[in-house]
Amino acid sequence: MSKPMFVVATSNAGKLREFQAILGDAFVLRGLAEFDPVVFPDEGEDYEANAIAKARTAADALRLPAIADDSGLEVDGLGGAPGPLSARYGGPGLDDRGRLLHLLEALSGMRGSARRARFVCVAAWASPGGSVRVERGECEGCILTAPRGDSGFGYDPVFEVEGLGRAMAELLEEEKNRISHRGRALAALRASLTQPVETRS
Ligand code: ITT
């Protein structure tokens, strides 16, 4: 039987790579670069609404099933910020490195539980016919005082994974995908999408 096909509705190359690694054995995944440009709505402060909006926008525009995620880093000492605004943290002029340095600066002087943090990912699937599935994954850890490692993307070099004593950017790609927020959300989405319709509650 041929594999089901989805468009991955993200412009983040790091995310696209992880979607491929996590779901590529079961699904054919096509990036947005293969299609005419899709215009996505501005994102708000709700992971689930943002993830559904990305998947729904791509599914409607391309008339193909689409998956997307909305993700972010929640830091206890910042009251859960930057959260769903993680991609824009520190203002529009910053790249991934600039954002993580901005985070270290914001946390300078904070110790212990103030540096506790979690990555959150809400993954959504939408079909052109109007169906939607949503799953969430989280990964606990704390914010380091200096970047470590060079794999992954985004805030990975400043996030130490709980119980591992290593930064997310010090893990092999397959190690990250086994325990990460995205790995967990996409594993749940895979289970939901491969479950026969009749037995779904
Ligand atoms: P798309 O909306 O096009 O998918 P984006 O990068 O804007 O791309 P988000 O709005 O979901 O995506 O922002 C998530 C941000 O959170 C992302 O830019 C990273 O800075 C951070 N982030 C999410 N997952 C991460 C991960 O696995 N490792 C490190 N940082 C991550």
Side-chain angles (χ1 to χ4, degrees), residues 88-186:
R88 289 176 268 164
Y89 186 53
L94 298 183
D95 58 7
D96 274 3
R97 186 80 185 171
R99 278 187 284 275
L100 73 79
L101 293 176
H102 184 76
L103 177 66
L104 293 183
E105 180 65 31
L107 290 181
S108 65
M110 291 196 205
R111 299 201 187 134
S113 62
R115 302 187 80 96
R116 285 199 57 85
R118 69 214 46 81
F119 275 124
V120 176
C121 174
V122 174
W125 169 90
S127 75
S131 302
V132 174
R133 307 265 175 85
V134 181
E135 299 289 348
R136 180 183 176 105
E138 298 192 7
C139 181
E140 292 287 333
C142 65
I143 305 301
L144 294 161
T145 51
R148 292 202 325 235
D150 51 19
S151 65
F153 67 95
Y155 298 93
D156 283 344
V158 293
F159 184 89
E160 185 177 272
V161 183
E162 187 173 79
L164 291 188
R166 283 189 288 162
M168 197 72 109
E170 294 178 309
L171 303 184
L172 297 172
E173 185 181 85
E174 56 268 32
E175 289 177 305
K176 175 180 175 183
N177 292 338
R178 251 197 316 274
I179 54 93
S180 78
H181 49 311
R182 184 165 298 100
R184 290 181 170 139
L186 292 182

Side-chain angles (χ1 to χ4, degrees), residues 1-5 25-28 193-196:
M1 218 173 67
S2 64
K3 297 180 189 175
M5 190 278 284
D25 62 323
F27 305 102
V28 175
L193 291 171
T194 51
Q195 195 181 1

